[in-house]
Amino acid sequence: MSADILVTRHVYPAAIDILRSAGELDYHDSSDGLTPADLRAAVAGKRAVVCQLTDHIDAAFMDSGSRLEVIANVAVGYDNIDIAAATQRGIVVTNTPGVLTDTTADLAFTLMLSAARRIAEADRFLRSGRWQQWEIDMMVGHDIHGHTLGILGFGRIGQGMARRAAGFGMRILYHDAVRADADVERDCGAAYVDLETLLREADFLSLHVPLTDATRHLIGAPELGLMKPTAVLVNTSRGPVVDEAALVEALASGAVASAGLDVFESEPAVHPGLLKLDNVVLVPHIGSASIKTRTRMCTMAAENAAAVLRGERPPNPVNSEVLPAR
Ligand code: DGY
């Protein structure tokens, strides 16, 4: 029997069990992924695709799958998928919102603390055998308590960051294209400000916006220039939100103090300038990387795909306009 479901990369086994109950699988059980040409060949005849943020899902891919009904991304972000092309073709795209909020906010907070207290640098220092004695000014960093956290993008993860910061006695400002409801602001202890105020006042700036045409290079040289020279930038959203070359320049010149980065402009490549700097903590896009969360992301994506194959409404559509009205 020919397969209905293409799974482009390795996923947690619980997702495979869900998918098997909905149809025959073409499972590429490897983390390496397929070339664009192999992806296009593999989608032929499939009704569902379970893909990851490392798969570039464009119109040409969709046109190679004339039976395609659903593209289930194992991620909350979906900038790897041409949503307009999917909508035009009546293909529903789904994502995995909510389940990774706290895990990703935990990592953003970890990066903020690590950059402020120079954890990665101190670890390298100790391992290199350079630690000779306790010194009054050795590896001194910055406090986060009593300081201002600026949150750019106040969706689920941005709000999660605010809740954590409240527990650490921080003042919390945020900016977003859409102002949050008053009860959300109250609950998070966060005040809305314009972007310029956010950049000028933040001791720590944490980015939580999706990648769109409007947010690409949202943080570039002019924005970094508005920040305090003592400020720390944290990015767990998408790499291209920050102009990486401008950030290297700002970190090297002392225009900003340090950074904690989980995402990069051309992953898995990292700007060579960043690799040379001690005042930046670098981790390889692990925001949602807890076993529980990654498992849940996989099962959510599988549930989304399976629902469509059964003729049901998927729980997490991104372009719900292609679905029949409820
Ligand atoms: C996402 O889900 O968009 C993250 O970047 C990976 O968890």
Side-chain angles (χ1 to χ4, degrees):
M1 196 163 42
S2 65
D4 306 297
I5 309 168
L6 169 64
V7 182
T8 61
R9 290 167 192 263
H10 174 69
V11 290
Y12 280 84
I16 295 301
D17 295 342
I18 294 168
L19 291 168
R20 284 222 166 94
S21 72
E24 282 292 310
L25 297 196
D26 175 9
Y27 180 23
H28 293 258
D29 187 8
S30 148
S31 296
D32 291 338
L34 301 169
T35 63
D38 288 344
L39 266 179
R40 285 195 297 275
V43 75
K46 303 297 185 322
R47 293 174 58 209
V49 173
V50 175
C51 59
Q52 299 183 23
L53 56 86
T54 33
D55 297 315
H56 183 64
I57 305 295
D58 57 10
F61 172 84
M62 295 172 205
D63 287 338
S64 307
S66 57
R67 297 179 69 216
L68 200 52
E69 294 170 50
V70 55
I71 298 169
N73 213 27
V74 188
V76 67
Y78 42 83
D79 47 281
N80 58 311
I81 301 172
D82 185 338
I83 301 295
T87 304
Q88 231 172 35
R89 290 160 179 75
I91 301 168
V92 61
V93 177
T94 65
N95 68 342
T96 62
V99 65
L100 48 75
T101 300
D102 285 317
T103 304
T104 306
D106 281 350
L107 186 85
F109 215 82
T110 303
L111 285 174
M112 180 169 77
L113 284 167
S114 303
R117 297 299 302 272
R118 303 172 64 177
I119 297 300
E121 190 185 349
D123 181 271
R124 287 193 293 272
F125 174 77
L126 183 151
R127 287 172 197 271
S128 71
R130 284 177 287 155
W131 184 26
Q132 300 299 321
Q133 58 180 349
W134 188 91
E135 289 174 42
I136 196 75
D137 59 354
M138 186 181 69
M139 289 289 152
V140 291
H142 295 280
D143 287 325
I144 67 161
H145 63 268
H147 286 73
T148 298
L149 170 64
I151 299 173
L152 184 51
F154 205 55
R156 281 179 290 259
I157 301 172
Q159 291 172 25
M161 188 69 177
R163 291 198 177 88
R164 283 156 180 77
F168 275 71
M170 299 185 85
R171 172 183 176 233
I172 305 156
L173 303 177
Y174 79 95
H175 179 76
D176 196 299
V178 181
R179 184 169 176 170
D181 291 342
D183 57 335
V184 173
E185 289 186 354
R186 204 175 320 112
D187 182 40
C188 294
Y192 177 84
V193 291
D194 59 52
L195 179 57
E196 186 173 331
T197 306
L198 191 84
L199 294 168
R200 286 190 191 282
E201 294 201 13
D203 296 303
F204 299 88
L205 179 69
S206 192
L207 308 181
H208 300 285
V209 291
L211 177 63
T212 64
D213 289 344
T215 62
R216 191 174 295 277
H217 282 195
L218 182 60
I219 302 298
E223 292 74 22
L224 292 163
L226 292 176
M227 291 172 68
K228 298 179 183 180
T230 49
V232 175
L233 177 74
V234 173
N235 190 10
T236 54
S237 62
R238 284 291 183 266
V241 172
V242 176
D243 178 343
E244 226 163 65
L247 178 62
V248 168
E249 181 59 39
L251 287 166
S253 68
V256 296
S258 58
L261 305 177
D262 179 42
V263 289
F264 303 90
E265 268 202 84
S266 309
E267 294 175 11
V270 176
H271 192 297
L274 287 174
L275 297 171
K276 290 192 196 122
L277 292 169
D278 251 337
N279 54 341
V280 58
V281 182
L282 306 167
V283 294
H285 202 150
I286 56 170
S288 62
S290 75
I291 295 165
K292 189 173 162 198
T293 293
R294 286 284 169 83
T295 304
R296 190 68 192 108
M297 287 165 68
C298 291
T299 56
M300 270 179 97
E303 282 155 7
N304 278 312
V308 174
L309 292 178
R310 286 194 299 263
E312 296 163 10
R313 191 180 173 88
N316 311 106
V318 165
N319 56 347
S320 52
E321 60 270 39
V322 304
L323 296 169
R326 282 207 256 205

